[in-house]
Amino acid sequence: DIQMTQSPPSLSASVGDRVTITCRASQGISNYLAWYQQQPGKVPKLLIYAASTLQSGVPSRFSGSGSGTDFTLTISSLQPEDIATYYCQKYNSPLTFGQGTRLEIK
Amino acid sequence: QVQLVQSGAEVKQPGASVKVSCKTSGYTFTSNIIIWVRQAPGQGLEWMGWISAYTGNTNFEQKFLGRVTMTTDTSTTTAYMELRSLRSDDTAVYYCARVAGITPRYPIDYWGQGTLVTVSS
């Protein structure tokens, strides 16, 4: 099975910082890649799909890029409400998630 | 609006079974895949499997083969997930979620609220 590896596992940044999270697939997955945000105690929320398409209603400070095996999620200017764990997921079956990146405010 | 409402928390003994329901509304039930995801305390998201509400076809993560059943009832637009031979490491929040299309080649766009299943003697 294709494995999804996120880095870093955790990250501490200041409000206003540019933040980048990476996700690597063990084999090529084209652009079947989504990013989800899970705020503490809440249900995951879709941020990005098809590697770079912003889900409706998601702030434009979030962006995604990549194709094949290497993908990134970027937050251009970190806001306090962005404190969450972020997961990548490949969605050509099996629908494997990355292990998550916990983002904290410094 | 699209809603997925799950059944309430469960406490089960090791070796027992649990069946979680997921009542959907606000969309055409047979137009989407339903996926089940679990999250152990303090851990990440783990995909368990999916079911097509249109065909009834299923696909499971290998570690759950033989222990999980997923079904749908189109008359009540409800999906079900049954996990058998429960162990303590099955303690988790179980989510149903809607895939944004009729095949699994779409992301998840709506989630249920989650059902906590606690396995303890």
Side-chain angles (χ1 to χ4, degrees):
Chain A
D1 281 357
I2 299 174
Q3 304 302 313
M4 306 300 292
T5 303
Q6 283 183 237
S7 61
S10 63
L11 176 58
S12 181
S14 300
V15 172
D17 281 356
R18 183 181 182 87
V19 170
T20 298
I21 298 168
T22 65
C23 179
R24 174 164 288 177
S26 59
Q27 298 175 42
I29 59 169
S30 184
N31 67 338
Y32 290 100
L33 193 283
W35 290 97
Y36 301 89
Q37 175 195 63
Q38 187 176 31
Q39 294 173 320
K42 294 195 173 181
V43 170
K45 170 188 171 184
L46 177 64
L47 297 177
I48 302 258
Y49 62 95
S52 60
T53 303
L54 198 66
Q55 173 71 342
S56 176
V58 173
S60 59
R61 64 181 179 274
F62 291 93
S63 64
S65 65
S67 183
T69 59
D70 294 306
F71 303 87
T72 60
L73 171 70
T74 299
I75 307 172
S76 60
S77 178
L78 186 66
Q79 300 301 303
E81 59 267 31
D82 299 336
I83 297 313
T85 301
Y86 293 83
Y87 296 93
C88 63
Q89 182 211 22
K90 70 177 213 44
Y91 54 88
N92 53 349
S93 197
L95 308 175
T96 311
F97 290 92
Q99 75 275 28
T101 294
R102 179 171 293 183
L103 177 56
E104 300 173 337
I105 294 285
K106 194 180 291 183
Chain B
Q1 71 282 22
V2 174
Q3 287 191 306
L4 291 80
V5 179
Q6 298 183 224
S7 49
E10 303 261 14
V11 179
K12 296 291 183 181
Q13 294 201 328
S17 299
V18 68
K19 191 170 186 177
V20 179
S21 67
C22 173
K23 169 65 177 170
T24 73
S25 60
Y27 73 99
T28 302
F29 183 62
T30 52
S31 293
N32 296 79
I33 297 280
I34 294 289
I35 181 176
W36 289 87
V37 175
R38 75 178 186 179
Q39 186 169 38
Q43 301 301 308
L45 302 172
E46 180 177 32
W47 169 69
M48 298 180 68
W50 57 258
I51 180 166
S52 166
Y54 179 66
T55 64
N57 289 344
T58 55
N59 186 268
F60 303 128
E61 161 59 45
Q62 197 153 14
K63 70 181 285 186
F64 297 106
L65 283 173
R67 220 164 53 96
V68 70
T69 302
M70 294 179 187
T71 57
T72 58
D73 182 340
T74 55
S75 67
T76 61
T77 66
T78 301
Y80 299 91
M81 186 282 298
E82 181 179 32
L83 188 62
R84 299 178 291 278
S85 302
L86 290 168
R87 308 184 288 255
S88 58
D89 62 358
D90 290 318
T91 294
V93 174
Y94 289 76
Y95 294 102
C96 65
R98 189 187 87 156
V99 167
I102 202 164
T103 76
R105 292 192 169 222
Y106 292 89
I108 296 167
D109 58 356
Y110 289 93
W111 296 71
Q113 83 277 18
T115 296
L116 175 62
V117 175
T118 303
V119 183
S120 174
S121 55

